Amino acid sequence: MSSTKKMKEKEFLMEYREKRDFKKTKEPFGASGKKKKEKIFVIQKHDASSLHYDLRIEVKGVLKSWAVPKNLSTDPSEKRLAVQTEDHPLEYADFEGVIPEDEYGGGKVIVWDAGTYEPITDGDEKNKSIEDALKDGKVKIWLKGKKIKGGYTLINTKSGKENHWLAIKIKDDEADARRNPTSTEPESVISGKKIEEIGEE
Ligand code: MN
Protein backbone atom coordinates (compact mmCIF):
# COMPACT_ATOMS: atom_id res chain seq x y z
CA MET A 1 0.00 0.00 0.00
CA SER A 2 1.36 3.39 -0.96
CA SER A 3 1.88 5.99 1.74
CA THR A 4 -0.64 8.28 0.02
CA LYS A 5 -3.29 5.56 0.19
CA LYS A 6 -2.46 4.85 3.84
CA MET A 7 -2.86 8.54 4.61
CA LYS A 8 -6.20 8.65 2.79
CA GLU A 9 -7.59 5.69 4.76
CA LYS A 10 -6.41 7.16 8.01
CA GLU A 11 -8.20 10.40 7.21
CA PHE A 12 -11.38 8.67 6.04
CA LEU A 13 -14.21 9.88 8.31
CA MET A 14 -11.61 10.84 10.93
CA GLU A 15 -13.47 13.87 12.30
CA TYR A 16 -16.75 11.90 12.40
CA ARG A 17 -15.13 9.00 14.27
CA GLU A 18 -13.19 11.16 16.71
CA LYS A 19 -16.38 12.87 17.87
CA ARG A 20 -18.13 9.64 18.82
CA ASP A 21 -17.72 6.74 21.25
CA PHE A 22 -18.98 3.74 19.28
CA LYS A 23 -19.26 1.66 22.44
CA LYS A 24 -21.99 4.06 23.55
CA THR A 25 -23.76 5.20 20.40
CA LYS A 26 -25.50 2.98 17.85
CA GLU A 27 -24.54 5.30 15.00
CA PRO A 28 -22.49 3.46 12.33
CA PHE A 29 -18.67 3.47 12.45
CA GLY A 30 -18.68 3.45 8.64
CA ALA A 31 -16.96 1.15 6.20
CA SER A 32 -15.51 2.50 2.99
CA GLY A 33 -16.44 1.69 -0.56
CA LYS A 34 -20.12 0.68 -0.54
CA LYS A 35 -21.08 2.32 -3.79
CA LYS A 36 -24.31 2.03 -5.75
CA LYS A 37 -25.02 3.37 -9.20
CA GLU A 38 -27.39 6.06 -8.03
CA LYS A 39 -26.14 8.60 -5.53
CA ILE A 40 -28.20 8.85 -2.37
CA PHE A 41 -29.36 11.78 -0.31
CA VAL A 42 -31.09 11.93 3.03
CA ILE A 43 -32.57 14.54 5.33
CA GLN A 44 -32.55 13.53 8.99
CA LYS A 45 -34.57 15.37 11.61
CA HIS A 46 -32.35 15.66 14.67
CA ASP A 47 -33.63 16.78 18.05
CA ALA A 48 -30.27 17.59 19.68
CA SER A 49 -29.40 20.66 21.78
CA SER A 50 -31.46 22.47 19.16
CA LEU A 51 -33.86 20.88 16.69
CA HIS A 52 -32.49 20.88 13.15
CA TYR A 53 -32.42 18.94 9.91
CA ASP A 54 -29.30 17.32 8.50
CA LEU A 55 -29.02 17.30 4.70
CA ARG A 56 -26.55 14.68 3.47
CA ILE A 57 -25.57 13.89 -0.12
CA GLU A 58 -23.35 11.08 -1.35
CA VAL A 59 -20.07 12.29 -2.80
CA LYS A 60 -17.11 9.94 -3.37
CA GLY A 61 -18.12 7.28 -0.86
CA VAL A 62 -19.14 9.55 2.02
CA LEU A 63 -22.13 11.71 2.90
CA LYS A 64 -21.31 15.41 2.62
CA SER A 65 -23.39 16.99 5.38
CA TRP A 66 -25.04 20.27 6.35
CA ALA A 67 -27.11 21.10 9.43
CA VAL A 68 -30.10 23.09 8.18
CA PRO A 69 -31.90 24.67 11.19
CA LYS A 70 -35.17 25.35 9.32
CA ASN A 71 -34.92 22.52 6.76
CA LEU A 72 -35.05 22.94 2.99
CA SER A 73 -37.91 25.06 1.69
CA THR A 74 -40.01 24.34 -1.39
CA ASP A 75 -40.33 28.10 -1.90
CA PRO A 76 -37.62 29.61 -4.18
CA SER A 77 -37.88 32.98 -2.39
CA GLU A 78 -36.62 31.48 0.89
CA LYS A 79 -32.92 31.12 1.57
CA ARG A 80 -32.16 28.60 4.29
CA LEU A 81 -28.93 28.62 6.29
CA ALA A 82 -27.00 25.35 5.94
CA VAL A 83 -23.95 24.87 8.15
CA GLN A 84 -21.54 22.29 6.76
CA THR A 85 -20.59 19.57 9.23
CA GLU A 86 -18.22 16.61 9.11
CA ASP A 87 -18.55 13.90 6.44
CA HIS A 88 -20.67 10.97 7.56
CA PRO A 89 -20.50 7.31 6.43
CA LEU A 90 -22.94 6.17 3.73
CA GLU A 91 -24.59 3.79 6.21
CA TYR A 92 -25.65 6.81 8.26
CA ALA A 93 -28.44 7.42 5.73
CA ASP A 94 -30.45 4.62 7.40
CA PHE A 95 -29.78 5.72 10.96
CA GLU A 96 -32.85 6.37 13.04
CA GLY A 97 -32.86 6.17 16.81
CA VAL A 98 -31.47 7.74 19.94
CA ILE A 99 -27.93 9.07 20.38
CA PRO A 100 -27.11 8.93 24.13
CA GLU A 101 -27.42 12.34 25.83
CA ASP A 102 -23.74 12.56 26.87
CA GLU A 103 -22.56 11.70 23.34
CA TYR A 104 -21.83 14.06 20.45
CA GLY A 105 -25.17 15.13 18.93
CA GLY A 106 -27.09 13.43 21.73
CA GLY A 107 -30.82 13.26 21.00
CA LYS A 108 -33.37 11.63 18.71
CA VAL A 109 -32.99 11.15 14.96
CA ILE A 110 -35.51 10.17 12.28
CA VAL A 111 -35.06 9.83 8.54
CA TRP A 112 -37.35 12.67 7.46
CA ASP A 113 -36.76 12.23 3.72
CA ALA A 114 -34.57 10.05 1.53
CA GLY A 115 -33.97 9.25 -2.09
CA THR A 116 -31.42 9.72 -4.82
CA TYR A 117 -29.99 12.84 -6.41
CA GLU A 118 -28.15 13.98 -9.49
CA PRO A 119 -25.81 16.93 -9.88
CA ILE A 120 -27.25 19.57 -12.22
CA THR A 121 -24.60 20.45 -14.75
CA ASP A 122 -25.65 23.37 -16.86
CA GLY A 123 -24.38 26.89 -17.49
CA ASP A 124 -21.15 27.61 -15.63
CA GLU A 125 -21.31 24.20 -13.91
CA LYS A 126 -20.93 22.36 -17.21
CA ASN A 127 -18.38 19.53 -17.04
CA LYS A 128 -17.53 20.42 -13.45
CA SER A 129 -17.42 17.50 -11.00
CA ILE A 130 -19.47 17.80 -7.83
CA GLU A 131 -16.24 17.68 -5.80
CA ASP A 132 -14.92 20.72 -7.65
CA ALA A 133 -18.28 22.47 -7.34
CA LEU A 134 -18.17 21.89 -3.55
CA LYS A 135 -14.64 23.29 -3.38
CA ASP A 136 -15.76 26.33 -5.37
CA GLY A 137 -18.68 26.86 -3.00
CA LYS A 138 -21.60 26.43 -5.39
CA VAL A 139 -23.42 23.17 -6.04
CA LYS A 140 -26.65 22.52 -7.92
CA ILE A 141 -28.45 19.24 -7.27
CA TRP A 142 -31.69 17.59 -8.35
CA LEU A 143 -33.27 15.77 -5.41
CA LYS A 144 -35.60 12.81 -5.84
CA GLY A 145 -37.03 12.32 -2.37
CA LYS A 146 -40.51 11.48 -1.18
CA LYS A 147 -41.15 14.97 0.19
CA ILE A 148 -38.41 17.11 -1.31
CA LYS A 149 -38.03 17.07 -5.08
CA GLY A 150 -36.41 19.12 -7.78
CA GLY A 151 -33.48 21.46 -8.01
CA TYR A 152 -31.62 23.12 -5.15
CA THR A 153 -28.61 25.40 -5.12
CA LEU A 154 -26.16 25.18 -2.23
CA ILE A 155 -24.00 28.25 -2.15
CA ASN A 156 -21.23 29.13 0.26
CA THR A 157 -21.86 32.56 1.80
CA LYS A 158 -18.12 33.42 1.64
CA SER A 159 -18.84 35.37 4.81
CA GLY A 160 -15.68 34.50 6.68
CA LYS A 161 -17.55 31.62 8.30
CA GLU A 162 -16.34 29.08 5.79
CA ASN A 163 -18.88 26.42 6.77
CA HIS A 164 -21.88 28.70 6.20
CA TRP A 165 -23.92 27.95 3.09
CA LEU A 166 -27.39 28.86 1.86
CA ALA A 167 -29.80 26.29 0.44
CA ILE A 168 -32.20 27.73 -2.13
CA LYS A 169 -34.96 26.05 -4.14
CA ILE A 170 -34.47 26.47 -7.88
CA LYS A 171 -37.53 27.75 -9.79
CA ASP A 172 -38.71 24.58 -11.51
CA ASP A 173 -41.88 22.47 -11.74
CA GLU A 174 -41.33 21.16 -8.21
CA ALA A 175 -41.14 24.63 -6.65
CA ASP A 176 -44.26 25.42 -4.58
CA ALA A 177 -44.46 28.34 -2.17
CA ARG A 178 -47.67 26.96 -0.59
CA ARG A 179 -46.25 23.59 0.42
CA ASN A 180 -44.64 23.27 3.83
CA PRO A 181 -43.70 19.60 4.20
CA THR A 182 -41.52 20.37 7.24
CA SER A 183 -44.67 20.98 9.31
CA THR A 184 -47.34 19.04 7.37
CA GLU A 185 -45.31 15.84 6.87
CA PRO A 186 -43.27 15.39 10.05
CA GLU A 187 -43.07 11.58 9.98
CA SER A 188 -40.11 9.35 9.18
CA VAL A 189 -40.11 7.94 5.66
CA ILE A 190 -38.67 4.70 7.10
CA SER A 191 -40.80 3.95 10.17
CA GLY A 192 -43.70 6.38 9.83
CA LYS A 193 -42.88 7.62 13.34
CA LYS A 194 -42.73 11.20 14.50
CA ILE A 195 -39.51 12.16 16.25
CA GLU A 196 -41.29 12.25 19.64
CA GLU A 197 -42.28 8.60 19.13
CA ILE A 198 -38.69 7.40 18.81
CA GLY A 199 -37.86 5.44 21.96
CA GLU A 200 -34.76 4.13 23.65
CA GLU A 201 -35.18 0.80 21.88
MN1 MN B 1 -27.42 16.90 13.43
Side-chain angles (χ1 to χ4, degrees), residues 63-76:
L63 294 172
K64 293 285 170 191
S65 298
W66 292 262
V68 188
K70 294 168 83 176
N71 200 7
L72 297 184
S73 176
T74 55
D75 179 353

Side-chain angles (χ1 to χ4, degrees), residues 124-159:
D124 31 309
E125 284 80 36
K126 207 161 198 161
N127 299 323
K128 196 187 265 191
S129 71
I130 190 150
E131 297 92 317
D132 285 343
L134 278 166
K135 274 181 208 139
D136 293 346
K138 188 182 178 191
V139 181
K140 290 206 278 183
I141 49 177
W142 186 272
L143 301 177
K144 293 178 269 187
K146 292 193 169 79
K147 301 173 187 171
I148 296 290
K149 298 173 197 288
Y152 283 82
T153 303
L154 286 165
I155 187 158
N156 192 279
T157 61
K158 312 264 186 196
S159 61

Side-chain angles (χ1 to χ4, degrees), residues 11-17 19-20 28-29 56-57 59-66 84-90 92 134:
E11 284 172 4
F12 183 73
L13 298 172
M14 192 171 65
E15 187 183 351
Y16 171 86
R17 287 170 175 169
K19 284 181 165 160
R20 293 168 174 80
F29 183 71
R56 310 188 197 281
I57 64 171
V59 177
K60 283 225 160 174
V62 296
L63 294 172
K64 293 285 170 191
S65 298
W66 292 262
Q84 193 170 14
T85 56
E86 79 275 20
D87 297 346
H88 279 51
L90 292 182
Y92 207 94
L134 278 166

